[in-house]
PDB file of all heavy atoms in Angstrom:
ATOM      1  N   ARG A   1     -11.493   4.080  -1.321  1.00 98.00           N
ATOM      2  CA  ARG A   1     -11.609   4.363  -2.798  1.00 98.00           C
ATOM      3  C   ARG A   1     -13.077   4.885  -2.927  1.00 98.00           C
ATOM      4  O   ARG A   1     -13.970   4.094  -2.835  1.00 98.00           O
ATOM      5  CB  ARG A   1     -11.405   3.160  -3.572  1.00 98.00           C
ATOM      6  CG  ARG A   1     -11.645   3.455  -5.191  1.00 98.00           C
ATOM      7  CD  ARG A   1     -11.309   2.252  -5.945  1.00 98.00           C
ATOM      8  NE  ARG A   1     -11.562   2.604  -7.425  1.00 98.00           N
ATOM      9  CZ  ARG A   1     -11.325   1.792  -8.445  1.00 98.00           C
ATOM     10  NH1 ARG A   1     -10.948   0.546  -8.238  1.00 98.00           N
ATOM     11  NH2 ARG A   1     -11.556   2.216  -9.649  1.00 98.00           N
ATOM     12  N   ASN A   2     -13.178   6.139  -3.183  1.00 97.00           N
ATOM     13  CA  ASN A   2     -14.546   6.745  -3.272  1.00 97.00           C
ATOM     14  C   ASN A   2     -15.477   6.352  -2.119  1.00 97.00           C
ATOM     15  O   ASN A   2     -16.579   5.833  -2.296  1.00 97.00           O
ATOM     16  CB  ASN A   2     -15.290   6.421  -4.620  1.00 97.00           C
ATOM     17  CG  ASN A   2     -14.874   7.429  -5.655  1.00 97.00           C
ATOM     18  OD1 ASN A   2     -14.192   8.365  -5.421  1.00 97.00           O
ATOM     19  ND2 ASN A   2     -15.385   7.185  -6.854  1.00 97.00           N
ATOM     20  N   SER A   3     -14.917   6.518  -0.852  1.00 96.00           N
ATOM     21  CA  SER A   3     -15.565   6.273   0.365  1.00 96.00           C
ATOM     22  C   SER A   3     -15.803   4.761   0.682  1.00 96.00           C
ATOM     23  O   SER A   3     -16.240   4.446   1.829  1.00 96.00           O
ATOM     24  CB  SER A   3     -17.015   6.969   0.414  1.00 96.00           C
ATOM     25  OG  SER A   3     -16.879   8.322   0.118  1.00 96.00           O
ATOM     26  N   VAL A   4     -15.370   3.873  -0.145  1.00 98.00           N
ATOM     27  CA  VAL A   4     -15.370   2.362   0.112  1.00 98.00           C
ATOM     28  C   VAL A   4     -13.996   2.025   0.653  1.00 98.00           C
ATOM     29  O   VAL A   4     -12.987   2.314   0.032  1.00 98.00           O
ATOM     30  CB  VAL A   4     -15.764   1.619  -1.129  1.00 98.00           C
ATOM     31  CG1 VAL A   4     -15.764   0.140  -0.868  1.00 98.00           C
ATOM     32  CG2 VAL A   4     -17.058   2.085  -1.720  1.00 98.00           C
ATOM     33  N   PRO A   5     -13.966   1.355   1.854  1.00 98.00           N
ATOM     34  CA  PRO A   5     -12.622   0.915   2.390  1.00 98.00           C
ATOM     35  C   PRO A   5     -11.897   0.136   1.365  1.00 98.00           C
ATOM     36  O   PRO A   5     -12.485  -0.782   0.606  1.00 98.00           O
ATOM     37  CB  PRO A   5     -13.033   0.047   3.611  1.00 98.00           C
ATOM     38  CG  PRO A   5     -14.394   0.504   3.989  1.00 98.00           C
ATOM     39  CD  PRO A   5     -15.114   0.917   2.759  1.00 98.00           C
ATOM     40  N   VAL A   6     -10.559   0.394   1.237  1.00 98.00           N
ATOM     41  CA  VAL A   6      -9.789  -0.302   0.204  1.00 98.00           C
ATOM     42  C   VAL A   6      -9.635  -1.826   0.478  1.00 98.00           C
ATOM     43  O   VAL A   6      -9.392  -2.553  -0.431  1.00 98.00           O
ATOM     44  CB  VAL A   6      -8.337   0.353   0.129  1.00 98.00           C
ATOM     45  CG1 VAL A   6      -8.474   1.755  -0.398  1.00 98.00           C
ATOM     46  CG2 VAL A   6      -7.587   0.290   1.483  1.00 98.00           C
ATOM     47  N   SER A   7      -9.986  -2.174   1.740  1.00 96.00           N
ATOM     48  CA  SER A   7      -9.920  -3.635   2.035  1.00 96.00           C
ATOM     49  C   SER A   7     -10.985  -4.416   1.287  1.00 96.00           C
ATOM     50  O   SER A   7     -10.945  -5.588   1.208  1.00 96.00           O
ATOM     51  CB  SER A   7     -10.108  -3.776   3.521  1.00 96.00           C
ATOM     52  OG  SER A   7     -11.319  -3.180   3.943  1.00 96.00           O
ATOM     53  N   ALA A   8     -12.006  -3.686   0.694  1.00 97.00           N
ATOM     54  CA  ALA A   8     -12.964  -4.404  -0.111  1.00 97.00           C
ATOM     55  C   ALA A   8     -12.428  -4.729  -1.459  1.00 97.00           C
ATOM     56  O   ALA A   8     -13.013  -5.486  -2.185  1.00 97.00           O
ATOM     57  CB  ALA A   8     -14.192  -3.478  -0.246  1.00 97.00           C
ATOM     58  N   PHE A   9     -11.284  -4.201  -1.830  1.00 97.00           N
ATOM     59  CA  PHE A   9     -10.725  -4.367  -3.206  1.00 97.00           C
ATOM     60  C   PHE A   9      -9.449  -5.148  -3.237  1.00 97.00           C
ATOM     61  O   PHE A   9      -9.173  -5.795  -4.250  1.00 97.00           O
ATOM     62  CB  PHE A   9     -10.417  -2.989  -3.837  1.00 97.00           C
ATOM     63  CG  PHE A   9     -11.644  -2.115  -4.034  1.00 97.00           C
ATOM     64  CD1 PHE A   9     -11.930  -1.156  -3.122  1.00 97.00           C
ATOM     65  CD2 PHE A   9     -12.589  -2.336  -4.955  1.00 97.00           C
ATOM     66  CE1 PHE A   9     -13.075  -0.341  -3.228  1.00 97.00           C
ATOM     67  CE2 PHE A   9     -13.714  -1.525  -5.166  1.00 97.00           C
ATOM     68  CZ  PHE A   9     -13.956  -0.522  -4.228  1.00 97.00           C
ATOM     69  N   ILE A  10      -8.617  -5.027  -2.171  1.00 96.00           N
ATOM     70  CA  ILE A  10      -7.352  -5.763  -2.154  1.00 96.00           C
ATOM     71  C   ILE A  10      -7.161  -6.549  -0.887  1.00 96.00           C
ATOM     72  O   ILE A  10      -7.793  -6.190   0.089  1.00 96.00           O
ATOM     73  CB  ILE A  10      -6.182  -4.702  -2.366  1.00 96.00           C
ATOM     74  CG1 ILE A  10      -6.220  -3.613  -1.399  1.00 96.00           C
ATOM     75  CG2 ILE A  10      -6.136  -4.169  -3.757  1.00 96.00           C
ATOM     76  CD1 ILE A  10      -5.047  -2.669  -1.495  1.00 96.00           C
ATOM     77  N   SER A  11      -6.258  -7.475  -0.938  1.00 97.00           N
ATOM     78  CA  SER A  11      -6.057  -8.372   0.209  1.00 97.00           C
ATOM     79  C   SER A  11      -5.282  -7.687   1.295  1.00 97.00           C
ATOM     80  O   SER A  11      -4.589  -6.662   1.094  1.00 97.00           O
ATOM     81  CB  SER A  11      -5.296  -9.604  -0.241  1.00 97.00           C
ATOM     82  OG  SER A  11      -3.987  -9.294  -0.570  1.00 97.00           O
ATOM     83  N   GLU A  12      -5.363  -8.272   2.449  1.00 96.00           N
ATOM     84  CA  GLU A  12      -4.666  -7.734   3.590  1.00 96.00           C
ATOM     85  C   GLU A  12      -3.121  -7.812   3.396  1.00 96.00           C
ATOM     86  O   GLU A  12      -2.451  -6.880   3.739  1.00 96.00           O
ATOM     87  CB  GLU A  12      -4.982  -8.536   4.934  1.00 96.00           C
ATOM     88  CG  GLU A  12      -4.248  -8.019   6.188  1.00 96.00           C
ATOM     89  CD  GLU A  12      -4.689  -8.762   7.389  1.00 96.00           C
ATOM     90  OE1 GLU A  12      -5.526  -9.685   7.275  1.00 96.00           O
ATOM     91  OE2 GLU A  12      -4.090  -8.435   8.456  1.00 96.00           O
ATOM     92  N   GLU A  13      -2.762  -8.859   2.687  1.00 97.00           N
ATOM     93  CA  GLU A  13      -1.298  -8.986   2.320  1.00 97.00           C
ATOM     94  C   GLU A  13      -0.807  -7.883   1.456  1.00 97.00           C
ATOM     95  O   GLU A  13       0.168  -7.312   1.572  1.00 97.00           O
ATOM     96  CB  GLU A  13      -1.077 -10.333   1.689  1.00 97.00           C
ATOM     97  CG  GLU A  13       0.417 -10.625   1.321  1.00 97.00           C
ATOM     98  CD  GLU A  13       0.648 -11.868   0.629  1.00 97.00           C
ATOM     99  OE1 GLU A  13      -0.345 -12.577   0.266  1.00 97.00           O
ATOM    100  OE2 GLU A  13       1.779 -12.329   0.387  1.00 97.00           O
ATOM    101  N   ARG A  14      -1.643  -7.512   0.434  1.00 97.00           N
ATOM    102  CA  ARG A  14      -1.313  -6.521  -0.503  1.00 97.00           C
ATOM    103  C   ARG A  14      -1.350  -5.087   0.155  1.00 97.00           C
ATOM    104  O   ARG A  14      -0.493  -4.273  -0.136  1.00 97.00           O
ATOM    105  CB  ARG A  14      -2.277  -6.477  -1.723  1.00 97.00           C
ATOM    106  CG  ARG A  14      -1.899  -5.505  -2.803  1.00 97.00           C
ATOM    107  CD  ARG A  14      -0.636  -5.874  -3.528  1.00 97.00           C
ATOM    108  NE  ARG A  14      -0.307  -5.004  -4.625  1.00 97.00           N
ATOM    109  CZ  ARG A  14       0.588  -3.961  -4.510  1.00 97.00           C
ATOM    110  NH1 ARG A  14       1.124  -3.743  -3.246  1.00 97.00           N
ATOM    111  NH2 ARG A  14       0.863  -3.286  -5.466  1.00 97.00           N
ATOM    112  N   LEU A  15      -2.261  -4.972   1.088  1.00 97.00           N
ATOM    113  CA  LEU A  15      -2.381  -3.665   1.826  1.00 97.00           C
ATOM    114  C   LEU A  15      -1.139  -3.399   2.755  1.00 97.00           C
ATOM    115  O   LEU A  15      -0.682  -2.408   2.936  1.00 97.00           O
ATOM    116  CB  LEU A  15      -3.666  -3.664   2.610  1.00 97.00           C
ATOM    117  CG  LEU A  15      -4.160  -2.307   3.105  1.00 97.00           C
ATOM    118  CD1 LEU A  15      -4.200  -1.297   2.053  1.00 97.00           C
ATOM    119  CD2 LEU A  15      -5.561  -2.545   3.720  1.00 97.00           C
ATOM    120  N   ASN A  16      -0.703  -4.612   3.240  1.00 96.00           N
ATOM    121  CA  ASN A  16       0.524  -4.537   4.170  1.00 96.00           C
ATOM    122  C   ASN A  16       1.704  -4.163   3.338  1.00 96.00           C
ATOM    123  O   ASN A  16       2.603  -3.382   3.778  1.00 96.00           O
ATOM    124  CB  ASN A  16       0.746  -5.824   4.910  1.00 96.00           C
ATOM    125  CG  ASN A  16      -0.203  -6.079   6.000  1.00 96.00           C
ATOM    126  OD1 ASN A  16      -0.758  -5.145   6.554  1.00 96.00           O
ATOM    127  ND2 ASN A  16      -0.504  -7.345   6.419  1.00 96.00           N
ATOM    128  N   GLN A  17       1.718  -4.671   2.082  1.00 97.00           N
ATOM    129  CA  GLN A  17       2.885  -4.252   1.120  1.00 97.00           C
ATOM    130  C   GLN A  17       2.825  -2.825   0.824  1.00 97.00           C
ATOM    131  O   GLN A  17       3.823  -2.154   0.731  1.00 97.00           O
ATOM    132  CB  GLN A  17       2.787  -5.149  -0.150  1.00 97.00           C
ATOM    133  CG  GLN A  17       3.967  -4.956  -1.020  1.00 97.00           C
ATOM    134  CD  GLN A  17       5.319  -5.354  -0.425  1.00 97.00           C
ATOM    135  OE1 GLN A  17       5.403  -6.394   0.149  1.00 97.00           O
ATOM    136  NE2 GLN A  17       6.328  -4.423  -0.456  1.00 97.00           N
ATOM    137  N   VAL A  18       1.654  -2.227   0.582  1.00 97.00           N
ATOM    138  CA  VAL A  18       1.426  -0.870   0.354  1.00 97.00           C
ATOM    139  C   VAL A  18       1.968  -0.095   1.523  1.00 97.00           C
ATOM    140  O   VAL A  18       2.704   0.935   1.376  1.00 97.00           O
ATOM    141  CB  VAL A  18      -0.057  -0.538   0.099  1.00 97.00           C
ATOM    142  CG1 VAL A  18      -0.365   1.021   0.201  1.00 97.00           C
ATOM    143  CG2 VAL A  18      -0.512  -1.018  -1.227  1.00 97.00           C
ATOM    144  N   MET A  19       1.682  -0.498   2.685  1.00 96.00           N
ATOM    145  CA  MET A  19       2.116   0.233   3.939  1.00 96.00           C
ATOM    146  C   MET A  19       3.626   0.227   4.039  1.00 96.00           C
ATOM    147  O   MET A  19       4.197   1.247   4.252  1.00 96.00           O
ATOM    148  CB  MET A  19       1.512  -0.466   5.183  1.00 96.00           C
ATOM    149  CG  MET A  19       1.946   0.156   6.457  1.00 96.00           C
ATOM    150  SD  MET A  19       1.068  -0.511   7.872  1.00 96.00           S
ATOM    151  CE  MET A  19       1.553  -2.224   7.894  1.00 96.00           C
ATOM    152  N   GLU A  20       4.303  -0.924   3.768  1.00 96.00           N
ATOM    153  CA  GLU A  20       5.744  -1.035   3.880  1.00 96.00           C
ATOM    154  C   GLU A  20       6.408  -0.170   2.692  1.00 96.00           C
ATOM    155  O   GLU A  20       7.404   0.414   2.991  1.00 96.00           O
ATOM    156  CB  GLU A  20       6.177  -2.498   3.718  1.00 96.00           C
ATOM    157  CG  GLU A  20       5.749  -3.282   4.989  1.00 96.00           C
ATOM    158  CD  GLU A  20       6.174  -2.734   6.286  1.00 96.00           C
ATOM    159  OE1 GLU A  20       7.324  -2.236   6.416  1.00 96.00           O
ATOM    160  OE2 GLU A  20       5.313  -2.725   7.156  1.00 96.00           O
ATOM    161  N   ASP A  21       5.836  -0.208   1.547  1.00 97.00           N
ATOM    162  CA  ASP A  21       6.396   0.556   0.419  1.00 97.00           C
ATOM    163  C   ASP A  21       6.267   2.037   0.738  1.00 97.00           C
ATOM    164  O   ASP A  21       7.168   2.868   0.333  1.00 97.00           O
ATOM    165  CB  ASP A  21       5.643   0.243  -0.847  1.00 97.00           C
ATOM    166  CG  ASP A  21       5.960  -1.123  -1.414  1.00 97.00           C
ATOM    167  OD1 ASP A  21       6.992  -1.714  -1.061  1.00 97.00           O
ATOM    168  OD2 ASP A  21       5.250  -1.664  -2.266  1.00 97.00           O
ATOM    169  N   THR A  22       5.238   2.429   1.391  1.00 97.00           N
ATOM    170  CA  THR A  22       5.045   3.890   1.738  1.00 97.00           C
ATOM    171  C   THR A  22       6.154   4.293   2.788  1.00 97.00           C
ATOM    172  O   THR A  22       6.698   5.416   2.626  1.00 97.00           O
ATOM    173  CB  THR A  22       3.654   4.047   2.426  1.00 97.00           C
ATOM    174  OG1 THR A  22       2.678   3.756   1.429  1.00 97.00           O
ATOM    175  CG2 THR A  22       3.458   5.453   2.890  1.00 97.00           C
ATOM    176  N   LYS A  23       6.339   3.533   3.730  1.00 95.00           N
ATOM    177  CA  LYS A  23       7.356   3.868   4.832  1.00 95.00           C
ATOM    178  C   LYS A  23       8.707   4.031   4.288  1.00 95.00           C
ATOM    179  O   LYS A  23       9.486   4.787   4.773  1.00 95.00           O
ATOM    180  CB  LYS A  23       7.307   2.717   5.873  1.00 95.00           C
ATOM    181  CG  LYS A  23       5.993   2.793   6.669  1.00 95.00           C
ATOM    182  CD  LYS A  23       5.663   1.486   7.507  1.00 95.00           C
ATOM    183  CE  LYS A  23       6.531   1.458   8.703  1.00 95.00           C
ATOM    184  NZ  LYS A  23       6.062   0.310   9.581  1.00 95.00           N
ATOM    185  N   VAL A  24       9.061   3.265   3.223  1.00 94.00           N
ATOM    186  CA  VAL A  24      10.445   3.470   2.727  1.00 94.00           C
ATOM    187  C   VAL A  24      10.349   4.259   1.366  1.00 94.00           C
ATOM    188  O   VAL A  24      11.329   4.204   0.534  1.00 94.00           O
ATOM    189  CB  VAL A  24      11.107   2.081   2.466  1.00 94.00           C
ATOM    190  CG1 VAL A  24      11.327   1.360   3.744  1.00 94.00           C
ATOM    191  CG2 VAL A  24      10.301   1.176   1.502  1.00 94.00           C
ATOM    192  N   GLY A  25       9.323   4.999   1.139  1.00 95.00           N
ATOM    193  CA  GLY A  25       9.140   5.814  -0.050  1.00 95.00           C
ATOM    194  C   GLY A  25      10.368   6.718  -0.338  1.00 95.00           C
ATOM    195  O   GLY A  25      10.806   6.858  -1.443  1.00 95.00           O
ATOM    196  N   GLY A  26      10.745   7.426   0.743  1.00 92.00           N
ATOM    197  CA  GLY A  26      11.886   8.342   0.504  1.00 92.00           C
ATOM    198  C   GLY A  26      13.187   7.655   0.268  1.00 92.00           C
ATOM    199  O   GLY A  26      13.993   8.038  -0.622  1.00 92.00           O
ATOM    200  N   ALA A  27      13.436   6.551   0.976  1.00 91.00           N
ATOM    201  CA  ALA A  27      14.664   5.730   0.844  1.00 91.00           C
ATOM    202  C   ALA A  27      14.641   5.129  -0.564  1.00 91.00           C
ATOM    203  O   ALA A  27      15.801   5.043  -1.163  1.00 91.00           O
ATOM    204  CB  ALA A  27      14.773   4.696   1.923  1.00 91.00           C
ATOM    205  N   THR A  28      13.594   4.703  -1.018  1.00 94.00           N
ATOM    206  CA  THR A  28      13.490   4.082  -2.415  1.00 94.00           C
ATOM    207  C   THR A  28      13.961   5.125  -3.455  1.00 94.00           C
ATOM    208  O   THR A  28      14.804   4.780  -4.345  1.00 94.00           O
ATOM    209  CB  THR A  28      12.065   3.659  -2.663  1.00 94.00           C
ATOM    210  OG1 THR A  28      11.629   2.672  -1.739  1.00 94.00           O
ATOM    211  CG2 THR A  28      12.045   3.023  -4.085  1.00 94.00           C
ATOM    212  N   LEU A  29      13.488   6.318  -3.343  1.00 94.00           N
ATOM    213  CA  LEU A  29      13.813   7.361  -4.324  1.00 94.00           C
ATOM    214  C   LEU A  29      15.242   7.769  -4.152  1.00 94.00           C
ATOM    215  O   LEU A  29      15.985   8.058  -5.090  1.00 94.00           O
ATOM    216  CB  LEU A  29      12.906   8.655  -4.105  1.00 94.00           C
ATOM    217  CG  LEU A  29      11.465   8.304  -4.767  1.00 94.00           C
ATOM    218  CD1 LEU A  29      10.535   9.428  -4.155  1.00 94.00           C
ATOM    219  CD2 LEU A  29      11.621   8.414  -6.264  1.00 94.00           C
ATOM    220  N   THR A  30      15.706   7.833  -2.906  1.00 91.00           N
ATOM    221  CA  THR A  30      17.168   8.110  -2.632  1.00 91.00           C
ATOM    222  C   THR A  30      18.139   7.168  -3.258  1.00 91.00           C
ATOM    223  O   THR A  30      19.124   7.552  -3.921  1.00 91.00           O
ATOM    224  CB  THR A  30      17.434   8.280  -1.183  1.00 91.00           C
ATOM    225  OG1 THR A  30      16.620   9.317  -0.618  1.00 91.00           O
ATOM    226  CG2 THR A  30      18.934   8.645  -0.877  1.00 91.00           C
ATOM    227  N   GLY A  31      17.664   5.855  -3.179  1.00 93.00           N
ATOM    228  CA  GLY A  31      18.457   4.858  -3.873  1.00 93.00           C
ATOM    229  C   GLY A  31      18.537   4.989  -5.351  1.00 93.00           C
ATOM    230  O   GLY A  31      19.527   4.790  -6.004  1.00 93.00           O
ATOM    231  N   LEU A  32      17.410   5.378  -5.972  1.00 95.00           N
ATOM    232  CA  LEU A  32      17.219   5.544  -7.337  1.00 95.00           C
ATOM    233  C   LEU A  32      17.955   6.742  -7.892  1.00 95.00           C
ATOM    234  O   LEU A  32      18.625   6.757  -8.923  1.00 95.00           O
ATOM    235  CB  LEU A  32      15.822   5.537  -7.851  1.00 95.00           C
ATOM    236  CG  LEU A  32      15.078   4.176  -7.663  1.00 95.00           C
ATOM    237  CD1 LEU A  32      13.552   4.498  -7.849  1.00 95.00           C
ATOM    238  CD2 LEU A  32      15.553   3.204  -8.678  1.00 95.00           C
TER     239      LEU A  32
END
């Protein structure tokens, strides 16, 4: 975020959730 690692703002658990949500981004939209 503006050159600062996002890990400075959100937890590792939340960042892992971002990663998993990204990976199924297309499938999520296909379902909707």
Side-chain angles (χ1 to χ4, degrees):
R1 178 179 182 179
N2 271 358
S3 302
V4 179
V6 295
S7 56
F9 301 98
I10 53 177
S11 67
E12 183 179 354
E13 181 183 11
R14 186 69 179 92
L15 198 48
N16 286 335
Q17 186 61 51
V18 165
M19 180 170 64
E20 294 306 316
D21 288 344
T22 298
K23 290 163 74 171
V24 297
T28 300
L29 285 163
T30 301
L32 291 168

